Amino acid sequence: MAGRLDGRVAIVTGGGGGLAEGICGRLSRSGAAVVCADVSLEKAGRVAGLVSEGGGRSLAVEVDVSDKGSVEGVVERVVEEFGGVDVLVNNAAIYPRRAWTEIEEEEWDRVMAVNLKGYFLCARAVYPHMKERGGSIVNVSSITFFVGWTLLMDYVASKGGIVGFTRTLAREIGPDGINVNAIAPGAFPTDAEKIHPDQEGYNRWVLEQQSIKRRGTPDDVGNLVAFLASEEASFISGQTIGIDGGWMMR
């Protein structure tokens, strides 16, 4: 895949998380300069450091994707430093786990602000720059939207909203040479899984659901994102692609 994204600039939100390691690493190995954007500058710096150690060009930035000013400030910095934006990977998310009757209104609003509004704000901020030269947006949804998931109602609702957002945005900006797709990851062994109290039991359960009897890796996700960001996928838009080891089939 090396060289597919030579000369391009990619912003990855949630850029300090487990999936981001695979996404940022693969984008870099495909030739892109990668901006790891996260609410935690320390975490973003760790992933950016891994990219740099691999010989790639990277930048770590702190961003609150739910805040318009924060998002626009980051995009301005990226354009100033790298000359533009070609790829946006909307990956930032929060996922409090509790019964739906225990979700407070403020918590619901916060999940929607980060997981859904944040995608909108980031897309709006990069659009003027992508409009000049085309580009790709990849939104990270989740298998949970398609199968339903107890104790994560606000998270699942936000991930469903991302599918609708992806389809509509693809219609809106396709004429500008920008393709927009979503991916729906299954269960991956990252820090996000620590919300489950029985880790060993959860691991066994995941493997029972999957057709492929191994756990997925962040690199699996990175491979798909890099493809969707490449010229080879330029005629694919408005789609939601599952990456879950053959768990959900539709």
Side-chain angles (χ1 to χ4, degrees), residues 1 4-5 10-12 19 22-24 26-27 30 87-91 136-140 182-183 185 218-230 233 243:
M1 298 182 81
R4 279 185 172 179
L5 301 176
I11 298 176
V12 181
L19 287 185
I23 295 170
C24 294
R26 175 50 69 190
L27 289 172
S30 296
V87 178
L88 169 65
V89 183
N90 275 317
N91 173 60
S136 298
I137 296 176
V138 181
N139 299 318
V140 180
I183 66 171
D219 279 346
D220 290 321
V221 176
N223 290 338
L224 177 56
V225 170
F227 168 69
L228 291 173
S230 73
I243 177 165

Side-chain angles (χ1 to χ4, degrees), residues 10-25 27 34-48 59-66 70-71 74 88-95 114-115 118-119 122 138-140 159 190-192 218 221:
I11 298 176
V12 181
T13 69
L19 287 185
E21 285 188 31
I23 295 170
C24 294
L27 289 172
V34 180
V35 179
C36 305
D38 199 280
V39 69
S40 166
L41 185 58
E42 180 181 357
K43 291 181 178 179
R46 181 186 65 82
V47 175
L59 173 69
V61 294
E62 182 178 353
V63 66
D64 177 356
V65 297
S66 69
S70 178
V71 169
V74 163
L88 169 65
V89 183
N90 275 317
N91 173 60
I94 55 176
Y95 32 84
V114 173
N115 297 11
Y119 285 32
C122 289
V138 181
N139 299 318
V140 180
K159 291 299 182 177
T190 65
D191 284 346
V221 176

